[in-house]
Each structure stands twice: as structure tokens, then as C-alpha cells.
């Protein structure tokens, strides 16, 4: 039977017991090869369709046994035809008895991913090859599954997927430092009479930036279509070299008309639980790998989270708990301060040992668009905190009263003229509405137990790093 007449299976399909007896074609990359005394070569093949490899048994009767098969190196790409058999070996249901094997691309011994454990730091320096490792294969399959589950969750609830712009002229809400977008010649920019850079001559006729959030535009669609979400890249030029911040990351931002803070909390809790349940259900092999290699408690933690309610706690109650804890925090705790990661982690990791939704924050530390409570001192903000990460979601009910919104913009010394269209939502048919932002990579960090956010996105962008 010729190669092209055989049914092509992925390695994942060929590893399934129901493939036994079929004559198939496999294609992939050689992970390892060893020769046995009995006149066989054993090739471990992987094609990214699953964590596990399939073992291909090549007998020395194959015509190219000496010339090709015994020279197959780690990293080379091949095709193989043969019959799938039940495997007598441990930990694998099937194996392939090869009839023919052909080489696509050889990989000399300079291939950096020889069979041994490589550090995540080293793999970061070869981000173009790391998709061929167990860890990054698994990370990508989890990212893919979580993306799909997020779309399913919102679609099933009747939310529309809206595409908000990546280039914006509203410098948003001070959510973070912005990257400027410009076509002016940096060596010789046009100047105004006062000697300042003349942005009226720039591409958009005014200063423009990469977006830090699609929220404001998202609100315009919620106030028309009812329930929407965005899921796209977001950019922050924050020079915070932490293990939880990227300069380019993906964010999911639902926004819903007629949702109050309580509805927003239910939506956020439901989303996280759906994601966690789905990865356990659909990615068991990858999850078992992370549970073994990264953190032996993740599967148990995710299961526990799915089964229990999140804690709901006001900011004021949280401050009381933190003060009563007598912990030595680096940043002092008192009513009115913004909580630091160490405080958030104490609450969710030590005190409650489960996810916490903190709400009703002081108005002075939160952006202008959050709805002011009747007490006048707090706003209807909510942050969802999880162990080891701290903040994973930030959201709020939005201020829908125009006069209060304007007062808040004045308070924060903002230029109201930039927000005329945002104010129009409050001028015409204003409604209560709410939304939040979920950092996609923070979710993947949490699920995989990986410590550094640079290792859960294909090509990390951080201060000083824009390779690949
Ligand atoms: P943090 O205090 O951790 O910097 P933030 O308050 O700036 O977060 P928001 O502006 O509320 O975050 O953004 C919404 C969500 O986006 C956050 O809850 C977080 O999950 C994620 N996020 C924010 N900044 C980053 C970043 N630089 N890299 C990756 N994810 C981020
Ligand atoms: Mn931030």
C-alpha cells in the first residue's frame, strides 16, 4: 500500500485504543530513537496533538534501515506507514509496526532540544523552538482550550463577541502607561510655534496610542446590543518587571447592560469555574503533566474551586482582616490605601484559602467610570483574587449618572472633551451596566502552576525584550 493511500492519523488519534488494527500514515518529529539488539529501532514520535508520543517499531528488514532509520536524530521530521497494534508496554495503549519510514527534514546534533530537561529560562531564549517541548505543547493546548471555553461560556449566555479597536486616541483611564502610535519622524518631528511636537501633523491628527483596555468602546456596544464581550490583545508600557506583567497580553472584557455589581460577580465566578472545569475535563493529560512538574496541588485546587463558593468581602472588611492579622507587610495597611499583591495574596492564600471577590473600594484609588455608592466614599468596584496570583479580574458597575461622572472626571483632572462620546451614553437612554477584565495569561498561570508569565504566552513582550 502506498503512503498516500493510507489514512492519515494524528499521534493523538493513533494512541487511542480504537485505532488498533488500522493501517495508517503518521507524520511528526522524532523525540528519541533507540536501537534494540533484536534487530529493531524504536522511534518516539510527537506531532503536537497530544502530550504523549507514539512508539514506532521499525524492523531492520526495512530497505532504508541502515541508510535512514538508524540515523534518525532527535528533532528530525518523518512520515511512517504501518499498522497500529496494542502495546505490551506500560503507559501506552498502542504502538505502530512500521512498513515504511521516510525522512522530511534532518536535525543535526546542534538541535538545541536534545533529550534532557531544559530550564524555562533557556527555553525562553529559543521561543521559536520551544513549541516542540512537552511544556510548551501543553501550555498551548491549554490556551487553546481556555479560549474556546471562554467563547462558549459567553455565547451560551447570549453575549456578542465585539471587536474593539487596538489604536485609540482616548488615553483611557490611566489603567497603565501607553505605547504611542505615530508616523512622525522621531529624528525630525514637526514643531508648533512653542517648540512642542505638532501632533496635528501626525497620522491621526492627534496623539494616539495602543489600547490598554477595550472597555469604553465595549460600553457603547453593551448600550445597544445588551450583552457583549471582547477578547483581544492589550498593551501596557508599564515598566514593572514582575512575573505577572507583560507589555502585550490578552484580555477578556464582558460588558452588560442592566447588570448590577452582584450580576457582575455571578458572571465572573461562573466564567472562572467554567474554564477550570473544562481544562480538567478536556485536557487531563496536560493537567496531569503540570500537576507533576509544576505544582502538585493544582488539580486538587481547581477541583476545590469548582465545588465551593467564592468569598465576597468588602474592601473595608478586608482592611480590618489585614490589620488584625498582625502580619509584617512591606506596605502599610490602612483604610484608603490601594492593596498590594502581598495583601491580596494574604487574603486569598492564607486567610480564606480560596478565591475572594473584593468589592466597594475607596473612590480615590479607582478610575472615574466606577459607580459611586450611596456612602459617597466608595465605588462599586470588584477585584477577583486567587491564591499565588493575586488579582486575576478587575471590574465594576459603571457610573451611569452624567453629573456624578463629570464630577469624578474633574476630581481626577481629566480632559472631559475627549470623552464626549462616552458621556453621550449617559445623556441618551442611560442604563445601569457592569463589566470586568480578565487577564488571559493570569488564568493560564493559575491553571498550569507555571511561575513566570513569560512562559505562558508564545512570544512574551516585556521591558527590553521583543525578540522573535
Ligand atoms: P495589576 O494591579 O495586577 O497591575 P491592574 O489593576 O492594572 O492589575 P486592570 O487594569 O484591572 O489590572 O486589568 C484587568 C486584568 O488584566 C487584571 O485583573 C489582570 O488579570 C490583567 N492584567 C493587567 N495588567 C496586566 C499585565 N501587564 N500583564 C498581564 N495581565 C495583566
Ligand atoms: Mn497594572
Amino acid at each position: 500500500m502506498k503512503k498516500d493511500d493510507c489514512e492519515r492519523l494524528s499521534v493523538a488519534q493513533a494512541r487511542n485504543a480504537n485505532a488498533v488494527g488500522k493501517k495508517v500514515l503518521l507524520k511528526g518529529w522524532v523525540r528519541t530513537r533507540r536501537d534494540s539488539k533484536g534487530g529493531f529501532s524504536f522511534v518516539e514520535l510527537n506531532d503536537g496533538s497530544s502530550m504523549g508520543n507514539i512508539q514506532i517499531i521499525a524492523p531492520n528488514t526495512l530497505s532504508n534501515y541502515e541508510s535512514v532509520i538508524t540515523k534518525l536524530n532527535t528533532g528530525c521530521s518523518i512520515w511512517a506507514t504501518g499498522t497500529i497494534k496494542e502495546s505490551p508496554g506500560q503507559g501506552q495503549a498502542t504502538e505502530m509496526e512500521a512498513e515504511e519510514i521516510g525522512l522530511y527534514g534532518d536535525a543535526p546534533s546542534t538541535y538545541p532540544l536534545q533529550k534532557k530537561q531544559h530550564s524555562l529560562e533557556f527555553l525562553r531564549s529559543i521561543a521559536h523552538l520551544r513549541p516542540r517541548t512537552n511544556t510548551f505543547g501543553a501550555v498551548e493546548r491549554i490556551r487553546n482550550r481556555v479560549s474556546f471555553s471562554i467563547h462558549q461560556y459567553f455565547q451560551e449566555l447570549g453575549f456578542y463577541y465585539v471587536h474593539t479597536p487596538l489604536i485609540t486616541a482616548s488615553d483611557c483611564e490611566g489603567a497603565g502607561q501607553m505605547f504611542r502610535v505615530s508616523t512622525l519622524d522621531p529624528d525630525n518631528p514637526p514643531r508648533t510655534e512653542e517648540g512642542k511636537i505638532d501632533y496635528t501633523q501626525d497620522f491621526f491628527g492627534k496623539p494616539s496610542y495602543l489600547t490598554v483596555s477595550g472597555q469604553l468602546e465595549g460600553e457603547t456596544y453593551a448600550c445597544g446590543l445588551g450583552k457583549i464581550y471582547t477578547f483581544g490583545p492589550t498593551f501596557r508600557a508599564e515598566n514593572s518587571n514582575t512575573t505577572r506583567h507583560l507589555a502585550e497580553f490578552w484580555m477578556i472584557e464582558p460588558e452588560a447592560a442592566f447588570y448590577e455589581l452582584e450580576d457582575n460577580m455571578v458572571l465572573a465566578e461562573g466564567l472562572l469555574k467554567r474554564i477550570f472545569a473544562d481544562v480538567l475535563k478536556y485536557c487531563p493529560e496536560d493537567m496531569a503533566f503540570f500537576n507533576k512538574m509544576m505544582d502538585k496541588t493544582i488539580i486538587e485546587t481547581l477541583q476545590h474551586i469548582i465545588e465551593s463558593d467564592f468569598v465576597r468581602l468588602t474592601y473595608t472588611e478586608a482592611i480590618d482582616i489585614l490589620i488584625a492579622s498582625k502580619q509584617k507587610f512591606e506596605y502599610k495597611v490602612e483604610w484608603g490605601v490601594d492593596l498590594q499583591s502581598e495583601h491580596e495574596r494574604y487574603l486569598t492564600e492564607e486567610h480564606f484559602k480560596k478565591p475572594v471577590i473584593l468589592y466597594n473600594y475607596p473612590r480615590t484609588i479607582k478610575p472615574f467610570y466606577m459607580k459611586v455608592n450611596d456612602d459617597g466614599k466608595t465605588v462599586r468596584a470588584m477585584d477577583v483574587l486567587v491564591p499565588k496570583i493575586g488579582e486575576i479580574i478587575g471590574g465594576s458597575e459603571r457610573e451611569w449618572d452624567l453629573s456624578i461622572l463629570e464630577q469624578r472626571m474633574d476630581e481626577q483632572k481629566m480632559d472631559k472633551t475627549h470623552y464626549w462620546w462616552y458621556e453621550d451614553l449617559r445623556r441618551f437612554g442611560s442604563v445601569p451596566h457592569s463589566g470586568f477584565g480578565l487577564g488571559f495569561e493570569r488564568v493560564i498561570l493559575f491553571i498550569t502552576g507555571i511561575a513566570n508569565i513569560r512562559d505562558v504566552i508564545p512570544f512574551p513582550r516585556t521591558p527590553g525584550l521583543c525578540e522573535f
Side-chain angles (χ1 to χ4, degrees):
M1 207 162 160
K2 292 233 305 280
K3 164 182 169 233
D4 296 321
D5 298 333
C6 289
E7 182 188 1
R8 162 101 196 270
L9 292 190
S10 67
V11 168
Q13 290 169 323
R15 288 173 70 226
N16 197 305
N18 66 17
V20 169
K22 283 190 185 170
K23 207 168 149 186
V24 303
L25 168 64
L26 301 178
K27 299 180 178 189
W29 292 268
V30 172
R31 284 293 176 83
T32 59
R33 197 203 78 245
R34 67 186 168 84
D35 303 320
S36 86
K37 291 213 183 75
F40 294 97
S41 202
F42 296 96
V43 178
E44 292 280 329
L45 192 75
N46 191 285
D47 67 353
S49 57
S50 64
M51 166 72 57
N53 308 322
I54 190 162
Q55 175 165 280
I56 300 175
I57 301 164
N60 62 7
T61 48
L62 297 184
S63 62
N64 60 354
Y65 190 79
E66 291 301 331
S67 60
V68 175
I69 293 171
T70 56
K71 296 190 177 106
L72 294 177
N73 293 325
T74 294
C76 72
S77 49
I78 61 166
W79 57 267
T81 56
T83 308
I84 304 298
K85 300 262 161 100
E86 219 170 285
S87 172
Q90 283 263 315
Q92 56 195 43
T94 67
E95 59 191 27
M96 175 192 257
E97 214 173 86
E99 279 173 22
E100 222 183 322
I101 292 181
L103 178 69
Y104 283 114
D106 196 10
S109 59
T110 49
Y111 180 57
L113 293 171
Q114 297 300 326
K115 189 179 162 67
K116 73 177 188 98
Q117 274 248 312
H118 299 282
S119 74
L120 293 175
E121 287 78 9
F122 169 69
L123 293 177
R124 231 175 271 153
S125 72
I126 50 165
H128 59 305
L129 293 175
R130 67 180 186 172
R132 301 190 199 176
T133 61
N134 286 338
T135 305
F136 289 88
V139 165
E140 195 45 44
R141 284 185 296 270
I142 298 270
R143 283 182 70 97
N144 173 68
R145 177 65 236 182
V146 174
S147 304
F148 190 51
S149 294
I150 288 168
H151 282 296
Q152 280 186 324
Y153 176 75
F154 286 116
Q155 295 289 331
E156 286 164 15
L157 289 173
F159 283 64
Y160 296 109
Y161 178 31
V162 166
H163 304 101
T164 48
L166 299 189
I167 300 177
T168 171
S170 45
D171 83 349
C172 214
E173 1 111 17
Q177 301 282 87
M178 303 183 88
F179 288 100
R180 189 181 286 285
V181 174
S182 173
T183 53
L184 295 180
D185 176 1
D187 293 327
N188 187 20
R191 304 265 173 194
T192 61
E193 275 168 20
E194 301 95 83
K196 293 198 172 137
I197 293 179
D198 183 7
Y199 286 105
T200 64
Q201 294 190 48
D202 203 349
F203 190 87
F204 296 106
K206 55 180 166 182
S208 54
Y209 309 88
L210 291 179
T211 187
V212 293
S213 157
Q215 180 201 319
L216 304 189
E217 291 91 349
E219 282 184 51
T220 70
Y221 270 75
C223 294
L225 281 110
K227 297 187 282 190
I228 66 99
Y229 67 105
T230 69
F231 186 171
T234 306
F235 307 89
R236 297 192 184 179
E238 42 198 4
N239 205 350
S240 47
N241 241 315
T242 77
T243 54
R244 298 172 304 110
H245 289 90
L246 290 163
E248 177 182 289
F249 64 100
W250 289 69
M251 186 145 69
I252 297 94
E253 294 183 281
E255 192 70 37
F258 312 108
Y259 267 46
E260 297 182 15
L261 191 64
E262 162 76 20
D263 307 305
N264 210 22
M265 292 182 189
V266 173
L267 186 70
E269 182 167 341
L271 173 62
L272 290 176
K273 286 181 171 172
R274 169 65 178 269
I275 291 170
F276 299 158
D278 278 2
V279 292
L280 292 177
K281 186 170 167 193
Y282 296 107
C283 308
E285 204 184 11
D286 293 325
M287 287 309 297
F289 171 81
F290 289 124
N291 203 67
K292 182 168 158 228
M293 305 299 288
M294 301 295 165
D295 175 349
K296 301 210 162 31
T297 65
I298 350 174
I299 291 183
E300 194 191 320
T301 303
L302 293 181
Q303 256 149 1
H304 176 66
I305 290 177
I306 296 163
E307 286 154 16
S308 57
D309 292 334
F310 290 13
V311 174
R312 296 191 188 177
L313 193 73
T314 64
Y315 168 90
T316 304
E317 290 168 319
I319 293 292
D320 291 343
I321 291 173
L322 290 168
I323 291 174
S325 77
K326 304 226 156 53
Q327 291 281 310
K328 286 210 167 52
F329 293 117
E330 194 183 331
Y331 294 87
K332 191 168 173 247
V333 180
E334 59 189 340
W335 202 95
V337 301
D338 203 358
L339 294 184
Q340 301 295 322
S341 170
E342 54 173 345
H343 309 131
E344 297 175 342
R345 291 184 59 171
Y346 175 80
L347 290 169
T348 175
E349 247 167 77
E350 312 278 331
H351 192 84
F352 291 107
K353 297 189 167 48
K354 53 171 157 166
V356 176
I357 308 183
L358 267 187
Y359 64 102
N360 288 353
Y361 283 73
R363 72 190 276 167
T364 47
I365 59 171
K366 288 290 180 184
F368 74 98
Y369 53 72
M370 296 190 176
K371 184 175 165 52
V372 179
N373 275 311
D374 292 340
D375 64 12
K377 287 192 332 194
T378 59
V379 289
R380 313 203 77 185
M382 58 167 228
D383 279 4
V384 182
L385 316 177
V386 294
K388 296 199 206 115
I389 312 280
E391 180 188 332
I392 196 165
I393 286 179
S396 69
E397 186 173 337
R398 317 305 188 189
E399 185 55 72
W400 57 293
D401 178 308
L402 181 60
S403 60
I404 300 177
L405 186 76
E406 291 201 316
Q407 194 187 321
R408 293 269 289 148
M409 291 168 98
D410 289 338
E411 222 169 77
Q412 306 200 354
K413 305 203 165 42
M414 293 168 59
D415 184 350
K416 293 203 286 285
T417 58
H418 288 166
Y419 297 89
W420 63 274
W421 54 272
Y422 188 71
E423 293 191 349
D424 268 2
L425 302 179
R426 281 77 183 161
R427 264 183 206 111
F428 312 116
S430 191
V431 291
H433 61 288
S434 303
F436 60 81
L438 167 66
F440 186 67
E441 282 72 27
R442 298 247 176 119
V443 177
I444 306 297
L445 272 182
F446 188 69
I447 290 173
T448 58
I450 288 176
N452 194 319
I453 199 163
R454 292 162 180 78
D455 299 324
V456 298
I457 188 165
F459 299 103
R461 269 69 178 112
T462 50
L465 183 75
C466 195
E467 185 76 20
F468 309 104

